[in-house]
């Protein structure tokens, strides 16, 4: 985000690669990794059983999609909130009810934010949650849950173990807040080495490309990683799955108008 | 494809919208629709039971992803072939073995093509399939299976019902060819009205945009549907799912640097 | 059912096998077969898209479990009604909300009965369904939906195609009734030959057992198929999946107190 | 097991309840609990990413079914070994290849035992595993993996963290052995309080029943928990899911030949 704003303001003094939005990095860091770390983060902190739990996930981007797929698979009943109609429609097609947070806040057992937005969970929502409701954040920053609003005299905080606070209302109701609203996947879970490898490879290749590029290929702007490099990162990680790629014949490459070594998709393909 | 080639050749004499690659259209026509029509097409033609069947799906793009998700969910064991390492890696993460067609061709019960390529299933593959193997095409054209190679004197064709041919080898082996290699979803299944509505709405909005656009906004080139229109198509279809969108507060919109009415995502977001 | 009642009344004049409750027969006829035929039956009659649809399934026995698994996998949102707390708890753990029919009848797109009970869907429920709601029966008989209650002067019936009636309320609301409330899977879908083979094999083995049994082994009562025969039926069908059984070593058989050739489980094991 | 053997030998001097095989207890302790604890146990010990991993699960009983469902849902490719043809056929229908352990031992990333048997994973298997293969046990005892065979001079053991040993072959190959072959779910994961509640309630009710039963109802034998009590345990746990049971009408109860308060199923129903 910051890079694009710098660029727009004409303040970017070197070419930059938006590594984060390369397909491979994006899918691994967000979709595939979060599909596992949401379970891991919740289990390690709360030992909650997923089966039968009602969960609301705020945001159905890649992170939200990953969280929802895992929770649904383990028997949770998942609701989605969204601002973007395209993501909302995807949530419908994947079998989730799209609701406003207020509609379900009294009944859910777990609230998970993955929006990149701020104050998605407000004090008003927190006031209405039921006893023992778990609240955590899988999004981009620590702004999604309005944790500041919980630091008021009438509420008592009780640290029950590392990264787990009980916030206690005057009537005895407890809300279980994880990692004080910071990122659950970084605070309470681990990142598999495989994901780190994808990320590090993508970043290294981007730097190599910028360094080696002939003068003039890149201006003082933000670029997406060239598709071919994105494909290269992926291909380097296939052998660990014993995956065998098919090669185009000359005839097929000609038919498709592609180089046999890629890139295989237009740049906008995800 | 054709439009981009015309444009490249300088032969496109009006602006054009690549409606096919709008997110909503793409996901519905390909992913969500095929997830259902692969089951429907196979059942109506062959009454095959999916549970326990070994299936190879050639191509893990949106169509392939849809087919695989449905077949896996119904208990089939699915193998993937891919030329693109990014799609191949996605297949791995979704729990499918990525193989060359030759590795599994002797053992599978069903072969499905979704590549957009030609001669993906060759006579050599067909010769090696086991008795009763079902072969069909969910891709973009009728070129994916080399059906012509089956029209030779030593093989007997037997039409067993509409859209279903048994091709019989001299030793009695039968391969079950559906729709003579044409599109299964168009030939042997129906398209839900909901999907038609998405497609028609997208096309209509694209035409309206081209017609109403101020002179100069669009040149003689191919454009992706503006994100905001894509979002509009989606929003028009949410009420049928009783889905409730969340609206940004002024403060949130400012924080995210977005207009409260969208577009909510960059153009390259899928 | 009838057999047990005859037996209880002392009116059963020969030994009988309750073939229907053998594990293999039960799972195939009910769970595995219905998992596929619910989709097939709905598609062939109504071309409904499953993604995003709200469905209530009455009864979470084997048939209900099969229907729900398939619909959930294809993106439907599924609610369950149950009378049995054990089945209800299983539904919870599988990620379904357990409700009374009245709670969701106004909002659902599809109603499916699989209870074996009568008048599960009453005229009152039918009156409250929304326009275009689809109603069908996957249970044991044609009693589950009170179809008789729909044959009244103020409602108009319109046959829109074979097995599909629109029942039209005075205000224009239409309910889509499939197979006039008879079994959807028998009326509007096909039974795979594989399932027929399981059923026929089980029945044949039961007859052979009764015929060959030494005098006195079976009295004038109802028996479950001996576990070993149930296992034999299963083993006869494994080769079609190229499945390879593991054999116990002598040492392992002794450790487990089992015969190396089975039966491998106690009779009550399902 | 022990109780039935005592009973057979005429050495059981009091009535006993086989609480373990009540439906509710069985499903929670085995199926639902293991579905979650296999993920938790593997993550906490090894941080393995599940997506794309090849896993062999020995035994497809309730524990195996739970493990496989979770791993499949998170993108692992799962193979099954089985001795019982009925369970093997179920594995086929659920989309798993049924193999002998030798067929896949060289290629898998994780080996999980859930058989209740002994020496299911032998030294010969361990010798053939690939580098970094993870081996663990989810079954009934610590006999399933022949750990003793690994305590030989040519192999080096390295404790890398609590419950995790690397066993190192002379050529440098490492096998990752969890909990020294003891139960992973007890050693490396936690049991949710909800599961404990189910188990404790079942045991308490069984004791109450035995204590309160009129003289003569129970002899010196082993009994399954009466269905009605099993149903009662389930019904006590429904409110925590906000699940609403449907009640039979008088007419329906009569039609089904059931008491309105249960039991709702024959004793052999699972």
């Amino acid at each position: 985000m910051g890079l694009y704003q710098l660029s727009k303001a004409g303040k970017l003094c070197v070419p930059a690669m938006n590594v984060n939005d390369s397909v491979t990095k994006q899918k691994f860091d967000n979709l595939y990794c979060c599909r596992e770390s949401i379970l891991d983060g919740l289990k390690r902190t709360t030992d909650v059983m997923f089966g039968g739990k009602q969960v609301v996930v705020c945001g159905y981007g890649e992170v939200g999609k990953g969280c929802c797929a895992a929770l649904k698979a383990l028997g949770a009943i998942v609701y989605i909130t969204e601002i973007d109609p395209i993501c909302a429609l995807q949530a419908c097609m994947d079998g989730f009810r799209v609701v406003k947070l207020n509609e379900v806040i009294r009944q859910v057992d777990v609230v998970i934010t993955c929006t990149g937005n701020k104050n998605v969970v407000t004090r008003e929502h927190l006031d209405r949650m039921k006893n023992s409701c778990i609240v955590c954040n899988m999004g981009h920053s620590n702004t999604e849950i309005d944790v500041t609003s919980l630091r008021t005299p009438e509420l008592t905080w009780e640290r029950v173990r590392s990264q787990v606070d009980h916030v206690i209302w005057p009537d005895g109701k407890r809300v279980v807040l994880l990692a004080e609203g910071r990122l659950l996947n970084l605070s309470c879970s681990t990142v598999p080495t495989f994901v780190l490898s994808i990320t590090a490879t993508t970043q290294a290749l981007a730097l190599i490309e910028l360094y080696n590029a002939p003068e003039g290929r890149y201006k003082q702007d933000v670029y997406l990683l060239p598709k071919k490099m994105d494909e290269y990162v992926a291909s380097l990680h296939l052998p660990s799955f014993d995956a065998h790629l098919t090669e185009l014949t000359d005839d097929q490459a000609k038919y498709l108008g592609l180089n046999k070594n890629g890139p295989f998709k237009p740049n906008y393909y995800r």
Side-chain angles (χ1 to χ4, degrees), chain A:
Chain A
M1 232 32 169
L3 283 177
Y4 284 105
Q5 283 160 352
L6 278 178
S7 166
K8 229 173 168 178
K11 292 185 182 161
L12 195 68
C13 50
V14 290
M17 284 272 178
N18 172 359
V19 162
N20 196 50
D21 282 328
S22 79
V23 181
T24 310
K25 161 85 168 59
Q26 172 88 210
K27 292 280 181 186
F28 270 86
D29 253 30
N30 298 355
L31 181 66
Y32 301 129
C33 191
C34 292
R35 187 173 65 179
E36 306 197 2
S37 60
I38 183 64
L39 303 180
D40 193 29
L42 286 171
K43 265 300 194 220
R44 289 198 207 213
T45 49
T46 68
D47 291 325
V48 67
M49 193 175 196
F50 302 119
K53 288 293 182 301
Q54 294 193 54
V55 182
V56 62
V57 175
C58 302
Y60 199 64
E62 297 293 332
V63 173
K65 286 181 176 79
C67 292
C68 291
L71 290 164
K72 180 184 181 181
L74 290 181
I77 295 160
V78 182
Y79 303 92
I80 304 289
T81 73
E82 248 302 337
I83 60 163
D84 176 342
I86 293 180
C87 291
L89 199 55
Q90 292 178 342
C92 291
M93 298 310 294
D94 292 342
F96 303 110
R97 294 219 55 193
V98 177
V99 298
K100 296 193 186 203
L101 189 49
N102 271 332
E103 297 176 56
V104 295
I105 196 67
R106 282 192 190 284
Q107 79 195 57
V108 291
D109 301 290
V110 186
V111 177
I112 302 167
T113 56
C114 347
T115 66
N117 200 347
K118 69 186 253 196
N119 291 343
V120 172
V121 175
T122 64
R123 172 64 190 266
E124 199 183 347
H125 294 128
L126 290 152
D127 282 342
R128 299 174 69 200
M129 288 174 192
K130 70 181 185 190
N131 187 41
S132 297
C133 185
I134 297 167
V135 188
C136 65
N137 171 33
M138 293 283 290
H140 297 282
S141 64
N142 64 350
T143 59
E144 310 211 7
I145 302 162
D146 186 4
V147 173
T148 313
S149 75
L150 293 174
R151 303 208 181 273
T152 51
E154 79 276 21
L155 303 184
T156 312
W157 285 56
E158 188 180 317
R159 162 109 344 167
V160 297
R161 79 186 72 153
S162 170
Q163 307 288 1
V164 185
D165 288 291
H166 282 188
V167 182
I168 310 170
W169 266 249
D171 66 355
K173 180 188 88 168
R174 285 160 184 257
V175 163
V176 182
L177 178 66
L178 304 185
E180 298 181 63
R182 294 184 312 275
L183 282 176
L184 182 74
N185 42 341
L186 295 188
S187 305
C188 311
S189 165
T190 59
V191 178
T193 51
F194 193 82
V195 176
L196 288 180
S197 171
I198 296 267
T199 302
T201 310
T202 307
Q203 289 169 340
L205 282 177
L207 289 172
I208 292 169
E209 166 72 10
L210 286 174
Y211 185 82
N212 283 341
E215 186 128 2
R217 179 185 291 172
Y218 296 108
K219 308 199 173 54
Q220 290 169 14
D221 205 346
V222 186
Y223 295 87
L224 286 174
L225 193 70
K227 195 76 184 173
K228 194 161 174 178
M229 255 172 223
D230 209 350
E231 292 176 355
Y232 184 54
V233 175
S235 73
L236 288 172
H237 289 83
L238 285 177
S240 72
F241 299 110
D242 195 26
H244 305 158
L245 273 188
T246 300
E247 279 178 40
L248 290 175
T249 65
D250 292 335
D251 197 34
Q252 289 176 327
K254 198 175 150 198
Y255 176 76
L256 294 171
L258 292 176
N259 185 307
K260 284 174 71 172
N261 301 314
F264 298 102
K265 295 286 189 329
N267 251 332
Y268 59 80
Y269 185 91
R270 299 275 114 179

